[in-house]
């Protein structure tokens, strides 16, 4: 049986409170309070069995007869094996859940928010529109986010830990690039051994009393095409020659472009989005498929 996960925060960092002023800065980071602890003060994860609870309930379709990319080409395999960095989407990829949907359900706005999430992931509405609508519906307070993380810890997808370990053993750097929120992602990153500086995601903002103050619109991932921008920045900042993007949604597919990801691998083990999978360089339903092709 897996041993318990222990994510401890020895002390709570004080919240940074913006000074009130009659003239407000346009920068969202000056409008509200952020959670400053690198793992977020509420990041109490329960035992490993709770994190992966229900993981084996995910049905993995062994193949999709309409997909020609179930078997990777020689060029795709060569690129995969020679990657310098792999960028993972988080929701429905690294974990089984859509974090914002979980938070919405916890806050009593589940159904309406799930509909917006579906629109965002299929690319039928601009991502920034969907994100703004969802946060307006949820209005999560700091305490609600803390309670949600404690009572509904994220369920890590089967095989992702093994894949990340294999990538690291091959000296391939791992990043998390998500349209979700850092507060929800940091506990998972900690458990998977991914440093917080390798997270590219959105940031919730809170007022002086911990009330919702929206999100930081300056984060690239808060906008359509933001994941592509984030991957381009990762590549440029580190000088990587070959970068791979792995995810399940339209925003992940967008990352495959000149200067961004060289390959887009669709992970359909949680959500099968046919329009996205059909355009991928390689579609997999199990992370073991990717592990098997690494030296």
């Amino acid at each position: 049986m897996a041993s318990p996960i222990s994510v401890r925060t020895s002390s709570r960092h004080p919240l940074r409170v913006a000074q009130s002023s009659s003239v407000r800065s346009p920068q969202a980071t000056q409008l509200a309070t952020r959670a400053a602890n690198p793992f977020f003060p509420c990041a109490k994860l329960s035992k490993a069995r709770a994190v992966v609870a229900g993981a084996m309930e995910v049905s993995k379709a062994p193949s999709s007869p309409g997909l020609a990319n179930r078997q990777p080409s020689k060029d795709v395999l060569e690129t995969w094996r020679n990657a310098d960095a792999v960028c993972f989407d988080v929701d429905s990829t690294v974990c089984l859940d859509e974090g914002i949907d979980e938070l919405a359900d916890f806050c009593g706005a589940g159904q309406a928010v799930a509909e917006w999430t579906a629109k965002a992931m299929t690319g039928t509405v601009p991502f920034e529109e969907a994100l703004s609508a969802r946060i307006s519906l949820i209005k999560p307070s700091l305490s609600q986010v803390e309670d949600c993380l404690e009572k509904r810890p994220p369920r890590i997808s089967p095989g992702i830990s093994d894949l990340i370990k294999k990538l690291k053993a091959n000296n391939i750097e791992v990043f998390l690039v998500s349209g979700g929120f850092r507060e929800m992602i940091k506990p998972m990153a900690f458990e998977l051994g991914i440093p917080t500086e390798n997270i590219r995601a959105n940031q919730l903002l809170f007022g002086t009393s911990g009330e919702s103050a929206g999100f930081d619109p300056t984060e690239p991932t808060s906008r359509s095409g933001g994941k592509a921008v984030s991957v381009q920045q990762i590549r440029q900042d580190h000088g990587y020659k070959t970068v791979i993007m792995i995810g399940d949604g339209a925003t992940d597919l967008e990352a495959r472009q000149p200067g961004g990801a060289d390959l887009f691998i669709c992970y359909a083990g949680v959500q099968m989005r046919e329009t996205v999978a059909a355009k991928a360089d390689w579609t997999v339903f199990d992370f073991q498929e990717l592990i098997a092709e690494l030296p």
Side-chain angles (χ1 to χ4, degrees), residues 101 109-122 124-125 130 134 137:
D101 289 354
Q111 182 60 38
V113 167
E115 292 173 1
W116 277 102
T117 298
K119 293 177 183 178
M121 291 301 98
T122 55
T124 56
V125 298
R134 287 179 290 177
L137 287 165

Side-chain angles (χ1 to χ4, degrees), residues 35-49:
N37 190 298
F39 301 116
F40 203 59
C42 64
K44 287 187 191 175
L45 297 185
S46 57
K47 293 183 178 181
R49 71 182 71 176

Side-chain angles (χ1 to χ4, degrees), residues 11 36 45 60 100 114 117 126 129 142 154-156 159 165 172-173 193 203 206 210 214 228 238 260 269 274 283:
S11 63
L45 297 185
K60 297 265 198 318
I100 196 167
T117 298
E129 180 182 340
L142 177 61
R155 300 176 301 159
I156 295 174
K165 288 177 183 176
I172 299 171
E173 194 73 14
Q203 178 75 54
F206 304 98
H238 297 273
E274 294 185 6
T283 296

Side-chain angles (χ1 to χ4, degrees), residues 75-142:
D75 288 344
V76 167
L77 284 178
E78 183 176 356
T79 302
W80 169 240
R81 291 165 181 165
N82 289 283
D84 297 310
V86 176
C87 300
F88 287 93
D89 171 46
V90 175
D91 297 334
S92 296
T93 301
V94 170
C95 69
L96 300 176
D97 312 296
E98 289 287 334
I100 196 167
D101 289 354
E102 287 294 302
L103 180 60
D105 186 62
F106 187 81
C107 296
Q111 182 60 38
V113 167
E115 292 173 1
W116 277 102
T117 298
K119 293 177 183 178
M121 291 301 98
T122 55
T124 56
V125 298
F127 185 80
E128 57 269 31
E129 180 182 340
L131 184 61
S132 180
R134 287 179 290 177
I135 293 303
S136 295
L137 287 165
I138 304 170
K139 293 185 174 66
S141 67
L142 177 61

Side-chain angles (χ1 to χ4, degrees), residues 18-285:
Q19 298 296 322
S20 61
S21 172
S22 58
V23 179
R24 296 284 186 169
S25 165
Q27 296 299 319
T29 52
Q30 297 177 1
L31 290 174
T33 300
R34 290 177 183 255
N37 190 298
F39 301 116
F40 203 59
C42 64
K44 287 187 191 175
L45 297 185
S46 57
K47 293 183 178 181
R49 71 182 71 176
V51 178
V52 298
M56 299 315 294
E57 297 173 8
V58 178
S59 62
K60 297 265 198 318
S63 65
S64 180
L67 293 175
N69 57 14
R70 286 289 289 123
Q71 296 299 320
S73 68
K74 181 180 178 181
D75 288 344
V76 167
L77 284 178
E78 183 176 356
T79 302
W80 169 240
R81 291 165 181 165
N82 289 283
D84 297 310
V86 176
C87 300
F88 287 93
D89 171 46
V90 175
D91 297 334
S92 296
T93 301
V94 170
C95 69
L96 300 176
D97 312 296
E98 289 287 334
I100 196 167
D101 289 354
E102 287 294 302
L103 180 60
D105 186 62
F106 187 81
C107 296
Q111 182 60 38
V113 167
E115 292 173 1
W116 277 102
T117 298
K119 293 177 183 178
M121 291 301 98
T122 55
T124 56
V125 298
F127 185 80
E128 57 269 31
E129 180 182 340
L131 184 61
S132 180
R134 287 179 290 177
I135 293 303
S136 295
L137 287 165
I138 304 170
K139 293 185 174 66
S141 67
L142 177 61
S143 62
Q144 284 176 317
V145 175
E146 291 183 350
D147 289 346
C148 182
L149 273 173
E150 183 173 352
K151 295 173 182 177
R152 298 189 185 183
R155 300 176 301 159
I156 295 174
S157 295
I160 189 64
S161 179
D162 291 337
L163 175 56
I164 289 173
K165 288 177 183 176
K166 181 66 174 177
L167 291 171
K168 288 184 173 182
N170 286 9
N171 295 314
I172 299 171
E173 194 73 14
V174 175
F175 292 83
L176 300 179
V177 181
S178 174
F181 293 99
R182 295 175 187 269
E183 294 82 358
M184 312 290 287
I185 294 170
K186 286 176 182 177
M188 276 183 288
F190 180 78
E191 169 59 19
L192 293 168
I194 299 170
T196 55
E197 58 265 28
N198 284 16
I199 300 173
R200 304 290 188 274
N202 290 312
Q203 178 75 54
L204 287 169
L205 300 175
F206 304 98
T208 55
S209 299
E211 74 277 12
S212 175
F215 62 92
D216 185 351
T218 66
E219 292 284 359
T221 50
S222 70
R223 304 181 293 276
S224 291
K227 286 188 179 180
V229 171
S230 295
V231 173
Q232 288 169 343
Q233 289 177 342
I234 289 169
R235 185 177 194 135
Q236 183 177 352
D237 292 347
H238 297 273
Y240 294 136
K241 182 179 179 182
T242 305
V243 179
I244 313 296
M245 182 73 203
I246 300 177
D248 69 298
T251 56
D252 306 309
L253 175 62
E254 290 177 344
R256 184 191 59 194
Q257 58 176 272
D262 297 277
L263 289 181
F264 168 60
I265 298 174
C266 178
Y267 175 65
V270 178
Q271 292 286 342
M272 173 56 177
R273 308 184 200 278
E274 294 185 6
T275 56
V276 175
K279 296 177 182 178
D281 296 292
W282 184 9
T283 296
V284 300
F285 288 86

